[in-house]
Structures are given as C-alpha cells and as structure tokens.
Amino acid sequence: MNTGSTDVFVDHRNLLFTVAYEMLGSAADAEDVLQETWLRWVDVDRAEVRDERAYLVRITTRLALNRMRSNARRRESYVGPWLPEPLLTTPDVAEDVELADSVSLAMLTLLETLGPTERAVFVLREVFAFGYDEIAAAVDKTPAAVRQIAHRARDHVAERRPRVEATPSERDRVMQTFLTAVATGDIQSLMDVLAPDVVLVTDGGGVKKAALRPILGRDKVVRFLDAVSEGLEAVADLVVVNGAPALRIVLDGELDTVASMVVEDGLVTGLYVVRNPAKLARLDEVVTLTR
C-alpha cells in the first residue's frame, strides 16, 4: 500500500466526508462513498495528478451523484417525509457560520428539492468555493453549463431560506424556552415560542410514530406534540447537532428523538424531528466536518 496515498487521503478525509454528506444527507451513505473513493484513489498514479484535493473531490462527487440517483428511486417507497441523518458535531463547526448553515437539517432538507447535479454544483460552489472549471470536471458538464446550473440553484435556495437569520443568542434563548416547555408540559409556553405558521416535519421511517406529511400551524403542531408525548417519561436536553443546538429526547434510557429548529424573529418557524432509529445510530459519536 502506498503510504503517500494514504497520508493524502487522511489529510482530506473530513473534507470529502463533508462533501458527500452535504450531497447525500446521510452519514452512512457518505461513509460508503468515502470507502469507494479510497479504493479508486489507491489505484491512481499520483504523478499524473496536479491537484490532489480537487482530484479526490472529483471522485467523491461522481460517486455521490451515482448514489443520489439510486437513492431517489428507493425514497419513492419511504414511509412519510424523509429527513437527513443528524450528526453530533464539534464546536468548531458552529463557529464556522457558513459551514454550520450548510449542514443544518433545514438546509439539507431544502437541498433535497434540488436535482442531483444542481445539488452537487450548489454544494461545491457555494459551500466549498470550487471554481467553475473544477466543478465542471466533477459533474461532467461544461464550465458555461455549470455557471447556469449554479445560478438556478442559488435562486432556488434563496427563495426558500429563512427570511431573517436568528442570532446565536436569540436562537439559544428560544431553544431553552422550548426545552423547558416540553420538559414541564407547559402548553402555553410552548404556544408562545411557536410561530403561527410553524411547520413540523417528522421522520419515523415507518418504524416510529410520526406524521405522514408535514403539519402546518401552531395549534395543530402543539396538538400533535402533546399527543405523541402523552404518558411518556422522557428526559430532554440540548446538544449540538449539525452545527446548531437541537433537542435530544431519551425514553427508557434509549435515544428516541432528535429535534432541530429554525428560529426567525424570536419564534420557531420550522421543526425537524427525526425518530427513525436507523438515523439516530451515530448520535453517540462526534463527527468532525470541515471545508
């Protein structure tokens, strides 16, 4: 085995994982893509490679695109809404505001509305600032076509992003209020922290109780949360998931739910609740993401 190739791959591994994860929304799929990237990389003649970082990203991108297309077919039979797999992240992710935003569950869910090539171009350009020529080589398009795709993807994302970004202190205050309301069963406090047009998306994967479609409106959201929590003895706390605070709920000593929120103007406008056990399996290890 070529030690030099191993060192280069290890040096860029976190970047490659982040690229794959942002394209796929699944840590398990991202790990599979990295394994395939490694197998291809060890067979490469490095003397022919001018930019090792760009070359590795190109391999990862192409493999992730293939995985995205096959996943699209499988998701047609997925029970209820599909949400990205949440990850416990290191504090430095939260400090990189752009990276934290790009890996938030809200953003990854939004990116699901893009086609595979559009998503790849958006991630490589807007998050990692790759040049159009580099992206063109990765997605097998001309630089001119990539510019047009990037423009379309930017417009698509901009139209659907939160109207006003909350400050970290405002978001933390709202999250703490929400946590206290859930822990004490204070329905009025919960109502006070939710926006009138709040949207709740739950992912149970057909295994855990979850709504089969998004729930819109404060009253309906509160009724649903009250119904699913009735009679349950839960322990809730705040953790850093995908670069932002999220609610972790433990039932009978086992992780049951992770809830991420979008906060605008001091109110929760979006709730992303993951209950699918397969997507919570990695929540006991901290993942290092990087740009």
Side-chain angles (χ1 to χ4, degrees):
M1 184 179 293
N2 189 316
T3 303
S5 293
T6 301
D7 291 342
V8 170
F9 184 83
V10 170
D11 287 344
H12 294 95
R13 189 186 188 286
N14 289 342
L15 165 67
L16 301 177
F17 177 84
T18 309
V19 169
Y21 176 66
E22 294 214 19
M23 289 179 62
L24 296 163
S26 164
D29 284 346
E31 290 287 4
D32 287 346
V33 164
L34 255 63
Q35 181 64 25
E36 294 179 59
T37 299
W38 161 248
L39 293 174
R40 297 195 182 198
W41 172 243
V42 293
D43 288 335
V44 169
D45 180 359
R46 289 176 57 215
E48 302 288 322
V49 178
R50 289 178 298 176
D51 185 333
E52 293 168 332
R53 178 178 182 265
Y55 193 93
L56 281 165
V57 168
R58 185 165 71 215
I59 297 174
T60 299
T61 299
R62 289 179 174 178
L63 291 171
L65 277 169
N66 291 339
R67 183 63 63 100
M68 288 167 72
R69 290 168 180 138
S70 63
N71 284 352
R73 291 189 289 273
R74 291 206 307 269
R75 286 182 193 166
E76 290 176 1
S77 59
Y78 195 83
V79 179
W82 185 95
L83 288 175
E85 179 183 346
L87 298 176
L88 282 179
T89 50
T90 52
D92 59 319
V93 173
E95 292 168 6
D96 184 339
V97 177
E98 290 184 19
L99 179 59
D101 177 64
S102 71
V103 297
S104 70
L105 292 190
M107 175 57 80
L108 292 175
T109 303
L110 194 166
L111 293 182
E112 286 292 315
T113 63
L114 294 172
T117 301
E118 284 183 318
R119 182 167 182 169
V121 169
F122 180 87
V123 166
L124 294 177
R125 181 63 184 170
E126 298 302 313
V127 181
F128 299 97
F130 276 94
Y132 291 111
D133 289 345
E134 294 173 300
I135 300 172
V139 301
D140 198 23
K141 300 284 185 182
T142 66
V146 167
R147 285 180 181 274
Q148 291 181 332
I149 294 170
H151 179 72
R152 282 201 311 270
R154 271 196 306 270
D155 287 349
H156 180 92
V157 171
E159 289 173 2
R160 293 161 177 79
R161 292 182 87 158
R163 297 178 294 273
V164 180
E165 298 285 348
T167 64
S169 60
E170 182 182 40
R171 182 191 60 202
D172 292 349
R173 177 184 59 77
V174 171
M175 289 286 294
Q176 189 58 58
T177 301
F178 186 95
L179 172 62
T180 302
V182 169
T184 60
D186 186 345
I187 298 298
Q188 186 56 54
S189 293
L190 189 57
M191 295 281 284
D192 291 343
V193 81
L194 297 177
D197 59 350
V198 62
V199 178
L200 168 66
V201 183
T202 56
D203 179 347
V207 179
K208 290 290 189 75
K209 182 183 291 185
L212 294 180
R213 58 185 60 84
I215 297 174
L216 175 63
R218 180 166 51 201
D219 292 342
K220 291 181 180 179
V221 167
V222 170
R223 283 200 298 271
F224 178 83
L225 294 175
D226 188 45
V228 298
S229 62
E230 186 177 4
L232 298 177
E233 293 295 328
V235 177
D237 65 349
L238 292 177
V239 291
V240 178
V241 171
N242 292 63
L247 192 65
R248 175 173 58 186
I249 299 175
V250 175
L251 289 176
D252 297 326
E254 292 187 1
L255 178 60
D256 180 84
T257 301
V258 168
S260 179
M261 304 177 199
V262 176
V263 177
E264 303 175 56
D265 295 327
L267 296 173
V268 176
T269 59
L271 268 169
Y272 299 89
V273 177
V274 179
R275 302 196 70 210
N276 184 346
K279 295 184 180 182
L280 301 178
R282 295 172 58 100
L283 261 291
D284 57 353
E285 59 181 280
V286 178
V287 176
T288 301
L289 302 175
T290 188
R291 285 198 294 157

